[in-house]
Amino acid sequence: MKTWSLVSICVLLGVVVRWGVSLNSYSGAGKPPMFGDYEAQRHWQEVTYNLPLQEWYFNTTDNDLNYWGLDYPPLTAYHSWICAYVAKIINPDWVELHKSRGYESPTHKLFMRTTVLVADLLIYIPAVVLYCLYLTDGSSKKKISTLLCFLLYPGLILTDYGHFQYNGVSLGFALWGILALGLGWDVSGSMAFSLALNYKQMELYHALPFFCYLMGKCIKAGPMGRGLFLLVRIAATVLATFALCWLPFLSDPSQALQVVRRIFPVARGLFEDKVANTWCSLNTLIKIRSILSGDSQLYLSLACTFLAVLPSSFRLLTKPTFWHFKLALVNSSLAFFLFSYQVHEKSILLAALPVCLLLNDLPLIAIWFLQASTFSMLPLFLKDGLLVPYVVTSLAFLFFSLYLLSALDHCSEDELRMGAYNKLLFFLPKMDLACVVRWKFYISVAVMAVLSIVSIALVPPPHLPDLFPVLVSTTAFLHFFGTFVYFNVVQFSEPPSRKSQKKNN
Amino acid sequence: MLHSTDFEVHRNWLAITHSLPVSRWYHENTSEWTLDYPPLFAWFEFGLSHVAQHFDRNMLQVENLNYASPSTVLFQRLSVIFTDVVFIYAAKECCRCVQEQKGSRDVLNRPSFVLAVLLLWNFGLLIVDHIHFQYNGFLFGVLLLSVAKHLQVQTSGALLFAILLNLKHIYLYVAPAYGIYLLRSYCFTQDNKDGSIRWMSFSPLRLLALGSIVVSVCALSFGPFIAMGQLPQVLSRLFPFKRGLCHAYWAPNIWALYNVLDKGLAVLGVRLKLLEEAELPRASMTGGLVQEFQHSVLLSVSPSATLVCTLLSILPAVASIWLRPCGARGFLRCLLLCALGSFMFGWHVHEKAVLIAILPLSILAVESREDARIFLVLTTTGHYSLFPLLFTPTERPVKVSLMLMFTIFSFTALRNGQGPLLRPLEVVYLLGLVVVAIACEVVFPLSPWQQRLPFLPLLATSVYCSVGVCYSFLRLYVRLLQRDDKPKQL
């Protein structure tokens, strides 16, 4: 069958699944006074449409920053403004200043869900299609299978179309950046990534690999001459993009400073709620938050993050190939997720995107991680009433990806790039690695399934009310940490010989 | 979660069969959705209701009209998904019957794979069963299974059809095909050399076997009601002729064209001063309600007239397989023609009935290029005519995406890389369908006629689709009457 028809069928299936999920409840539905992320997005439309730009990030009589104040960079604000413009045409009540607080109706929900779908169709989905068609190896059937699994990743669908956020936009821009870098268009890639950064500041998790990769390329091209010229062009593009996005705020330095203060709130603690990173998991054993002061918590997390991200970035700087770039993206975002300050569970999506890029190369580990990342957000989904979509999309994803990518068949030592493991763990008895990995996968999926059922069906004992979220986040943490170690080992192993077809620079 | 009136209908039937004694089942009318399927389906609902009580006991109270708690919706949807297992098994059996081509073929191009996708992902079935809510997957599973058994030359086909008739009597549409085929090919054990009938080979034993199968199934199903003397009541529930010539949404059949012609002539007559406006009956048929009404210019149509028209339309097909049976595939063609004929000329036909023709046609479409052409036209128009069933904006992206998916797949898979499949006229017609779709879904709601003529998009859809359905009907007839019993390979 022709490729284009298979691609369109995959995309349409992705759209159907997304819309199906969007028919369910959203974050904070029917829960006054604060509601949830859905109300936050609606409130930003209200603020950006009705108030002048100078007041968007400031605490004024019209703009109460305690009620979902804007805390994303300007591109989010502009996007909200566009949505508000459309909303005003359809029904002005939706963005009426002050009066529309907590506005909920089926038509409004339809409108908000449509904005997410439109943004996805314009930005995220085309990037995924182009990546799978042009930057993955294999037969066209393999590419289509990768495309389908990529589009069916449950974590992003449930967060964007269930909980309600616009991660598709920032991740989409980042993906355009990765795509451009893969095709050798460094300047366009840096522009796309700058746009992603200006949409959500969490994209900083990906910033270090972009920087090291481009810097490594410039150094390889010659520190004087072509390399310097490339560096200058990239720097100029990035600065120009930032300037363009921040233009209205640059007229007054206090404006720009206030925006920065809003998007980087350092007054909050080491972590909030239950998140599957080191600090929260460590907190179950030793109460770090009470032992260390606020400042030392900040320094500790900075130090650990820096140490964790150093090996992979250094490796990328010395060997700036696309393969290493993808691995460094995974390692860097995982390092930030595990050790950084004030991490939210949804930030795992920033690590999930680069892992999706590796679906073609390391299918089993990628599928395993993606499933674990969806599982780690289970408490959030349960709070939002998204149980049925969670179960259906996870099962569908596991089924399709394991079947289409034949993940369980490609488990040999060479295919999993575990050669380095054997060298490191030479003291352990030699075992059939493929068998071991497969069994670990089965056990892990079983554990996740059991914990999911238990979280839904049982009531926690009264003296341990947070038992199930803690169990979920600790299990997820173990998975993430293991993945982090694995991908670091892979990055330091020799790349496989068949990578010569890949577009290297 | 979304649900439709059919949802309440089935909930009501669960309640009736669970809470009331058998003698009250066909007399109960607290709700407007009375039990109007044959008894075997009622027993099926009774069985389901025993599982339902573990989900939510309240749905089984007859008084709880329009009761729709989340667990009720969950149970109902799960029951449809669960009974679809029958459909999946039937699809598998049909794929076994399809002739494979020799030579290495990509999995995606193999006829059995294409057939499996065409059946399991059939757009019409998906939206009617899972969004709109009915148990058609289960019923079509039984139908396709009986067809598959016929294609495999096994006798269980007759038993399955007898069961099917007692589950939903709409399958009476295709009963003539079964009756004549079984009589001709099963009861007369041999044919003459030239294919004509050999009267001497009539086997009374086989006729008796067939008869006893049918009678015993009907006895099992209707028996309790005959014993209680309720047979007339049951029959009046099963065949409600008070409902009017056209269903509320105007199935795309001959009568839709007839109505439009009548209305057009009436308007013309008034303009040309041939008729008095006051003499015309109230124009309620365009109001979209299900009522009895009279036609103003052309003759009014009564239920018996439709029956006569239907019988006349299927007579050539039935006669053809009596005189020259072409094996099981000939039977399948006759079944399709009976289904389409009844769809075209029947009384109070629902658009969903077009699925009775589309699903079996899938089997023929993967084997023969000519049939694939007819299939594409019939499927696209038939499925599009189901669009008005889902009218809320929330469902629009889902129905458009699913329709596009199915259409893209069927066009590319059946084409199989051997050049264009459709004639230019057919392509133009199908493109016109896209224009009609955009006009009805996008342009019309934003135009000023939305208030004055709300029924216009339904009218346009039905009329445009009837042309396609009629065309497919005629082409299928031509295929049957050509003396050609070897299926052409793709």
Side-chain angles (χ1 to χ4, degrees):
Chain A
M1 274 180 75
K2 294 232 174 65
T3 315
W4 68 263
S5 56
L6 281 172
V7 166
S8 27
I9 291 179
C10 287
V11 168
L12 284 170
L13 187 61
V15 167
V16 168
V17 173
R18 282 163 167 74
W19 194 257
V21 171
S22 74
L23 295 173
N24 289 282
S25 169
Y26 48 80
S27 129
K31 291 191 189 133
M34 284 302 275
F35 301 93
D37 270 338
Y38 176 90
E39 167 64 13
Q41 299 284 350
R42 191 214 56 75
H43 180 70
W44 295 344
Q45 290 174 12
E46 175 196 330
V47 163
T48 52
Y49 188 79
N50 291 303
L51 298 178
L53 196 132
Q54 291 75 23
E55 290 185 35
W56 286 358
Y57 287 90
F58 280 93
N59 209 352
T60 65
T61 40
D62 281 334
N63 186 12
D64 178 14
L65 287 183
N66 279 329
Y67 184 78
W68 299 116
L70 257 175
D71 52 3
Y72 282 135
L75 262 189
T76 303
Y78 302 148
H79 183 209
S80 300
W81 185 86
I82 298 174
C83 293
Y85 190 76
V86 177
K88 189 85 179 178
I89 300 176
I90 305 177
N91 184 348
D93 286 336
W94 293 345
V95 287
E96 199 64 51
L97 190 59
H98 301 313
K99 289 201 213 84
S100 62
R101 277 213 191 165
Y103 189 97
E104 285 180 296
S105 83
T107 335
H108 183 55
K109 179 178 168 193
L110 185 63
F111 166 72
M112 297 289 273
R113 297 290 194 204
T114 315
T115 57
V116 182
L117 185 64
V118 165
D120 250 12
L121 282 172
L122 287 175
I123 302 177
Y124 182 70
I125 293 183
V128 175
V129 171
L130 288 174
Y131 175 80
C132 290
L133 286 180
Y134 292 110
L135 286 177
T136 50
D137 326 311
S139 66
S140 71
K141 259 182 59 184
K142 193 139 189 273
K143 294 188 195 206
I144 304 285
S145 309
T146 316
L147 172 66
L148 186 63
C149 298
F150 202 142
L151 284 176
L152 284 182
Y153 167 55
L156 185 58
I157 300 179
L158 289 167
T159 312
D160 270 10
Y161 290 86
H163 182 75
F164 201 89
Q165 277 204 334
Y166 289 101
N167 290 306
V169 178
S170 61
L171 291 176
F173 277 130
L175 192 54
W176 278 107
I178 299 172
L179 185 67
L181 256 53
L183 293 171
W185 306 333
D186 298 323
V187 176
S188 323
S190 11
M191 182 176 80
F193 185 66
S194 313
L195 285 174
L197 262 180
N198 278 307
Y199 194 88
K200 281 205 186 194
Q201 68 276 28
M202 268 106 69
E203 283 293 326
L204 278 173
Y205 285 24
H206 292 153
L208 210 52
F210 270 85
F211 176 75
C212 293
Y213 177 71
L214 291 169
M215 186 59 100
K217 269 187 74 176
C218 293
I219 296 177
K220 267 228 153 49
M224 295 294 136
R226 272 185 50 221
L228 188 62
F229 183 49
L230 182 63
L231 185 63
V232 166
R233 272 173 42 219
I234 293 175
T237 317
V238 171
L239 284 171
T241 319
F242 267 84
L244 206 63
C245 293
W246 287 66
L247 198 61
F249 298 95
L250 291 175
S251 51
D252 185 6
S254 65
Q255 283 273 333
L257 212 59
Q258 173 68 1
V259 179
V260 173
R261 236 179 265 133
R262 285 298 300 169
I263 66 184
F264 293 111
V266 278
R268 296 186 186 171
L270 189 58
F271 61 86
E272 222 174 83
D273 223 349
K274 305 284 165 290
V275 67
N277 75 352
T278 331
W279 309 128
C280 181
S281 307
L282 208 55
N283 205 41
T284 56
L285 299 170
I286 8 170
K287 298 275 173 244
I288 315 181
R289 273 198 293 199
S290 18
I291 298 178
L292 298 173
S293 71
D295 273 345
S296 32
Q297 285 173 20
L298 187 59
Y299 293 140
L300 176 66
S301 83
L302 267 176
C304 287
T305 317
F306 183 67
L307 281 174
V309 97
L310 198 61
S312 135
S313 312
F314 188 69
R315 177 82 170 160
L316 178 62
L317 204 57
T318 53
K319 276 195 188 325
T321 63
F322 193 61
W323 169 245
H324 282 273
F325 177 52
K326 287 197 288 192
L327 287 171
L329 279 169
V330 177
N331 285 324
S332 160
S333 36
L334 267 178
F336 273 90
F337 181 83
L338 287 171
F339 298 104
S340 172
Y341 198 76
Q342 186 61 212
V343 172
H344 288 269
E345 65 248 293
K346 296 188 286 289
S347 310
I348 196 64
L349 293 173
L350 290 158
L353 179 74
V355 174
C356 285
L357 302 176
L358 295 170
L359 267 172
N360 204 24
D361 308 294
L362 297 163
L364 183 64
I365 308 292
I367 296 168
W368 197 350
F369 176 80
L370 291 173
Q371 188 52 48
S373 61
T374 316
F375 169 72
S376 72
M377 293 192 275
L378 178 63
L380 182 69
F381 298 145
L382 285 180
K383 231 193 309 182
D384 293 336
L386 293 171
L387 170 62
V388 173
Y390 165 75
V391 171
V392 172
T393 48
S394 303
L395 288 175
F397 175 72
L398 269 179
F399 173 72
F400 275 110
S401 52
L402 287 176
Y403 176 68
L404 287 175
L405 296 174
S406 315
L408 293 169
D409 296 330
H410 298 277
C411 283
S412 72
E413 187 178 302
D414 183 48
E415 275 158 331
L416 287 179
R417 321 242 190 289
M418 302 271 256
Y421 262 118
N422 269 351
K423 287 191 210 120
L424 284 176
L425 302 171
F426 57 88
F427 46 87
L428 288 179
K430 285 259 174 290
M431 291 181 280
D432 178 11
L433 196 66
C435 196
V436 168
V437 168
R438 244 178 277 172
W439 273 104
K440 286 203 323 205
F441 176 71
Y442 295 147
I443 294 175
S444 147
V445 169
V447 165
M448 288 197 276
V450 164
L451 272 178
S452 306
I453 297 173
V454 155
S455 304
I456 302 160
L458 298 181
V459 176
H463 57 281
L464 292 171
D466 283 329
L467 178 65
F468 297 136
V470 167
L471 279 177
V472 166
S473 62
T474 339
T475 319
F477 164 70
L478 290 171
H479 281 91
F480 296 159
F481 194 74
T483 318
F484 178 62
V485 169
Y486 169 78
F487 275 115
N488 268 299
V489 169
V490 172
Q491 192 169 7
F492 278 90
S493 322
E494 283 309 309
S497 49
R498 65 179 167 84
K499 286 284 169 282
S500 53
Q501 304 151 286
K502 266 201 171 273
K503 274 195 180 279
N504 286 329
N505 301 299
Chain B
M1 284 202 219
L2 303 171
H3 51 271
S4 65
T5 48
D6 274 319
F7 179 85
E8 166 59 18
V9 169
H10 286 274
R11 186 214 63 77
N12 189 38
W13 294 353
L14 277 176
I16 291 178
T17 52
H18 189 88
S19 323
L20 300 176
V22 177
S23 54
R24 297 276 318 148
W25 284 2
Y26 282 94
H27 284 281
E28 174 60 40
N29 57 1
T30 315
S31 159
E32 57 182 308
W33 312 116
T34 55
L35 193 56
D36 56 0
Y37 277 18
L40 212 55
F41 196 83
W43 290 110
F44 168 69
E45 292 273 5
F46 179 64
L48 274 182
S49 68
H50 283 289
V51 181
Q53 62 188 358
H54 299 293
F55 277 76
D56 186 348
R57 288 204 145 257
N58 290 327
M59 75 169 103
L60 300 171
Q61 308 292 332
V62 179
E63 306 80 41
N64 283 349
L65 296 179
N66 289 315
Y67 182 76
S69 73
S71 23
T72 313
V73 177
L74 185 66
F75 167 72
Q76 297 270 52
R77 297 249 181 246
L78 280 179
S79 66
V80 175
I81 295 172
F82 200 67
T83 50
D84 268 355
V85 162
V86 177
F87 186 67
I88 297 174
Y89 176 66
K92 196 173 121 235
E93 286 293 312
C94 287
C95 292
R96 272 180 45 194
C97 308
V98 167
Q99 294 171 343
E100 298 283 356
Q101 257 224 354
K102 289 179 256 304
S104 66
R105 285 252 218 150
D106 194 9
V107 166
L108 291 178
N109 285 335
R110 256 191 276 144
S112 48
F113 175 80
V114 174
L115 178 62
V117 176
L118 285 178
L119 286 176
L120 293 173
W121 280 85
N122 187 296
F123 167 75
L125 201 57
L126 277 177
I127 66 167
V128 166
D129 260 17
H130 295 280
I131 301 184
H132 203 66
F133 200 84
Q134 275 200 338
Y135 286 97
N136 289 310
F138 165 57
L139 296 168
F140 276 116
V142 180
L143 176 70
L144 285 176
L145 203 54
S146 90
V147 167
K149 293 296 174 202
H150 276 263
L151 288 174
Q152 293 166 358
V153 198
Q154 290 178 22
T155 47
S156 41
L159 173 65
L160 285 164
F161 186 69
I163 295 177
L164 183 65
L165 265 187
N166 280 293
L167 279 171
K168 191 168 177 180
H169 51 295
I170 200 175
Y171 295 98
L172 273 175
Y173 283 176
V174 299
Y178 273 89
I180 301 295
Y181 173 72
L182 285 170
L183 199 58
R184 176 71 171 83
S185 299
Y186 185 66
C187 296
F188 289 90
T189 44
Q190 286 171 19
D191 288 343
N192 283 331
K193 284 265 165 42
D194 62 352
S196 63
I197 192 168
R198 183 185 281 196
W199 295 95
M200 301 311 289
S201 68
F202 179 72
S203 158
L205 204 63
R206 287 196 171 182
L207 183 63
L208 205 62
L210 269 182
S212 57
I213 291 177
V214 174
V215 167
S216 55
V217 172
C218 289
L220 202 67
S221 140
F222 280 89
F225 298 95
I226 298 176
M228 288 187 283
Q230 286 189 358
L231 192 61
Q233 169 71 3
V234 175
L235 288 177
S236 74
R237 282 286 175 88
L238 255 52
F239 299 103
F241 277 107
K242 281 265 166 283
R243 280 199 192 158
L245 179 62
C246 286
H247 185 260
Y249 287 124
W250 278 37
N253 62 6
I254 287 287
W255 305 126
L257 290 174
Y258 192 82
N259 285 344
V260 166
L261 191 63
D262 179 70
K263 192 82 182 113
L265 287 176
V267 169
L268 201 63
V270 169
R271 286 275 169 83
L272 296 178
K273 304 270 190 282
L274 295 170
L275 297 168
E276 291 296 314
E277 180 138 11
E279 283 175 18
L280 297 174
R282 288 282 109 221
S284 55
M285 78 174 89
T286 46
L289 299 170
V290 179
Q291 292 171 0
E292 297 221 43
F293 47 70
Q294 308 290 335
H295 287 95
S296 26
V297 175
L298 302 170
L299 296 168
S300 280
V301 181
S302 67
S304 15
T306 61
L307 190 62
V308 168
C309 288
T310 313
L311 288 175
L312 282 176
S313 69
I314 67 176
L315 200 59
V318 164
S320 165
I321 61 163
W322 175 264
L323 294 170
R324 310 188 118 269
C326 301
R329 282 184 171 64
F331 154 70
L332 190 53
R333 282 188 207 286
C334 180
L335 187 146
L336 286 167
L337 284 167
C338 289
L340 266 182
S342 316
F343 179 79
M344 302 272 296
F345 295 99
W347 180 266
H348 198 78
V349 172
H350 198 289
E351 313 70 81
K352 294 185 243 177
V354 76
L355 289 175
I356 308 182
I358 291 178
L359 286 171
L361 186 54
S362 322
I363 304 178
L364 290 175
V366 299
E367 291 182 333
S368 142
R369 228 171 130 75
E370 181 62 32
D371 287 323
R373 272 182 49 211
I374 308 174
F375 175 76
L376 287 176
V377 174
L378 183 62
T379 307
T380 320
T381 42
H383 284 165
Y384 180 66
S385 72
L386 294 173
F387 259 41
L389 286 178
L390 303 180
F391 47 84
T392 63
T394 326
E395 294 153 329
R396 196 173 293 149
V398 176
K399 76 180 179 195
V400 170
S401 305
L402 285 176
M403 175 87 185
L404 279 175
M405 268 172 69
F406 184 78
T407 317
I408 293 177
F409 180 79
S410 49
F411 271 80
T412 40
L414 290 175
R415 227 183 108 176
N416 217 12
Q418 280 179 27
L421 199 55
L422 296 175
R423 297 226 184 92
L425 200 61
E426 294 163 346
V427 175
V428 167
Y429 174 75
L430 289 177
L431 287 176
L433 195 64
V434 176
V435 173
V436 170
I438 296 178
C440 290
E441 298 273 334
V442 178
V443 173
F444 186 78
L446 302 170
S447 75
W449 296 309
Q450 163 77 354
Q451 307 299 327
R452 281 196 306 149
L453 301 167
F455 197 63
L456 200 57
L458 291 171
L459 193 84
T461 310
S462 293
V463 167
Y464 199 83
C465 292
S466 353
V467 174
V469 175
C470 291
Y471 175 75
S472 312
F473 180 61
L474 292 170
R475 285 213 67 85
L476 272 175
Y477 242 119
V478 168
R479 281 285 283 165
L480 176 70
L481 298 176
Q482 278 171 354
R483 275 109 198 277
D484 195 338
D485 57 345
K486 274 199 284 292
K488 287 202 183 55
Q489 300 298 344
L490 272 173

